[in-house]
Amino acid sequence: MAEDAPRRQPTLDEVAERAGVSRSVASRALNNAPHVSRAKREAVERAVRQLGYVPNPTARALATRQTGAAALVVSGEDPSIFADPFFAQIIVGASAALEEADLHLMLCLAASDRGRKRVAELLRSRGADGVMLMALRENDPLTQMAEEAQMPVVFGGRPVGSTPRWYVDVDNVGGAREATEHLVSRGLTRVAAICGRLDTEAGRARYRGYRDAMLAAGLEPFPPQEGDFTEPSGAAAMTALLANHPDVDGVFAANDNMAAGALRTLRKAGRQVPADVSVVGFDDLTVAQIADPPLTTVHQPIKALGREMARMLVALVNGQDPTPLILPTRLVVRSSA
């Protein structure tokens, strides 16, 4: 009589599925790692007993190196950047996704030499299970650090001049194009652009979208009037535009903060919005809703951007190989244009 075939050993993925947790949570629970709730730990232990799971010694050794934390690294020097409505929503979205995987969120600033050294040490020592990088500028040392890191790294937005393996971004070109097309559709012909920093991919991509729409309409694009995504820089850029191009009749600003600054300058100059100059922003932050007049803007799913970055990172930590993701934008029409 033929012998029964040997019984296949259950896998960690099957334990996680039976317990109703992620693979990383199951791994940490089996290895008594921190930051696993009692309920989830008990669910994993129950699944192990039911399935007869026996941990692999090599996998156990690797799993014990997990820290139970993920880092969000922003290339900025001012801690108040995390209070910016944009980054605040990124943090909310990322935190929610990491909480589902029982991972804690660490926040790091890395524009100064000291900040970059801390991030380099974090990557070198594997002080986190993975890292999310944001707000990178052209030739940013963080890009090279990420390429050399022996740990999962997800980019929030693509860096200038390179396409990393794992990133989440929004359709910056398409959103800017739609915003400019809206201004042109209202019969405006002298439409200027207050672009973001041109050493960032978001700044460049949004100007490309504006330029493409102007050329497609047979209109001459204005040279980029650069700001740094802050309200004061938008006000200063609008002042320069009025001085150099007093006949401007429309403005696309590459984010809502700069658009709000442009509205402030136009109001001081006695220009009516939208009767004299129409303005469109990008982001759809709260400032767009409370602006005077309320701001027509391009909505980008900021919380979803943070959430999908974190989910991609969790997938990498769990040994998967996710594909890059581009999130859609849409125009929200209000009174300013």
Side-chain angles (χ1 to χ4, degrees), residues 180-193:
T180 308
E181 289 171 346
H182 175 72
L183 289 166
V184 171
S185 73
R186 302 185 74 251
L188 308 178
T189 60
R190 299 285 294 165
V191 179

Side-chain angles (χ1 to χ4, degrees), residues 5-329:
R7 181 176 179 273
R8 182 182 66 81
Q9 289 295 319
T11 66
L12 180 59
D13 287 322
E14 291 171 332
V15 170
E17 183 178 3
R18 175 69 66 91
V21 300
S22 69
R23 190 179 191 278
S24 61
V25 170
S27 176
R28 292 203 301 277
L30 288 171
N31 291 284
N32 294 316
H35 312 308
V36 180
S37 68
R38 180 177 177 180
K40 291 182 179 180
R41 195 180 299 276
E42 290 176 349
V44 171
E45 292 171 351
R46 186 163 53 250
V48 166
R49 291 194 300 271
Q50 293 172 349
L51 295 173
Y53 174 75
V54 178
N56 179 287
T58 302
R60 177 183 288 274
L62 289 172
T64 55
R65 296 180 64 187
Q66 292 185 333
T67 66
L72 174 62
V73 177
V74 177
S75 186
E77 297 178 353
D78 185 355
S80 66
I81 193 171
F82 290 122
D84 181 288
F86 176 87
F87 285 103
Q89 290 191 46
I90 290 288
I91 292 169
V92 169
S95 297
L98 292 175
E99 185 176 351
E100 294 174 0
D102 273 3
L103 289 173
H104 286 266
L105 179 62
M106 301 165 54
L107 302 177
C108 304
L109 291 173
S112 66
D113 289 340
R114 184 177 180 182
R116 282 191 290 270
K117 287 179 181 178
R118 286 199 301 267
V119 173
E121 179 59 28
L122 176 74
L123 295 170
R124 195 164 41 241
S125 65
R126 296 184 65 89
D129 293 339
V131 170
M132 297 168 283
L133 292 180
M134 292 202 72
L136 299 186
R137 299 176 186 174
E138 189 173 15
N139 300 320
D140 197 314
L142 290 178
T143 303
Q144 183 66 27
M145 291 182 194
E147 292 173 352
E148 298 172 353
Q150 299 299 309
M151 64 191 305
V153 177
V154 171
F155 287 77
R158 286 159 287 185
V160 174
S162 67
T163 302
R165 185 171 180 181
W166 299 294
Y167 66 85
V168 181
D169 206 348
V170 299
D171 186 6
N172 289 302
V173 173
R177 184 189 303 116
E178 185 177 14
T180 308
E181 289 171 346
H182 175 72
L183 289 166
V184 171
S185 73
R186 302 185 74 251
L188 308 178
T189 60
R190 299 285 294 165
V191 179
I194 299 176
C195 63
R197 296 184 60 108
L198 292 175
D199 60 355
T200 67
E201 179 58 27
R204 293 186 181 186
R206 293 175 192 178
Y207 182 73
R208 286 200 302 273
Y210 154 82
R211 183 194 60 202
D212 291 350
M214 291 290 285
L215 292 174
L219 299 173
E220 183 67 26
F222 279 52
Q225 188 70 51
E226 188 173 357
D228 63 4
F229 295 111
T230 65
E231 194 270 356
S233 76
M238 192 69 242
T239 298
L241 280 172
L242 290 176
N244 297 322
H245 307 282
D247 58 346
V248 63
D249 58 8
V251 175
F252 163 63
N255 82 337
D256 289 345
N257 291 331
M258 293 191 298
L263 290 177
R264 176 162 61 89
T265 292
L266 288 167
R267 187 161 48 248
K268 286 184 177 180
R271 301 291 184 96
Q272 298 296 312
V273 178
D276 299 324
V277 182
S278 296
V279 179
V280 177
F282 198 114
D283 281 340
D284 199 19
L285 300 173
T286 301
V287 66
Q289 301 173 37
I290 64 175
D292 182 20
L295 188 64
T296 294
T297 187
V298 177
H299 174 87
Q300 63 164 321
I302 304 173
K303 287 183 183 177
L305 176 61
R307 181 176 66 247
E308 295 303 328
M309 286 168 55
R311 285 179 174 173
M312 185 173 290
L313 188 64
V314 170
L316 289 168
V317 171
N318 289 339
Q320 302 170 31
D321 187 13
T323 57
L325 180 63
I326 302 292
L327 300 174
T329 61

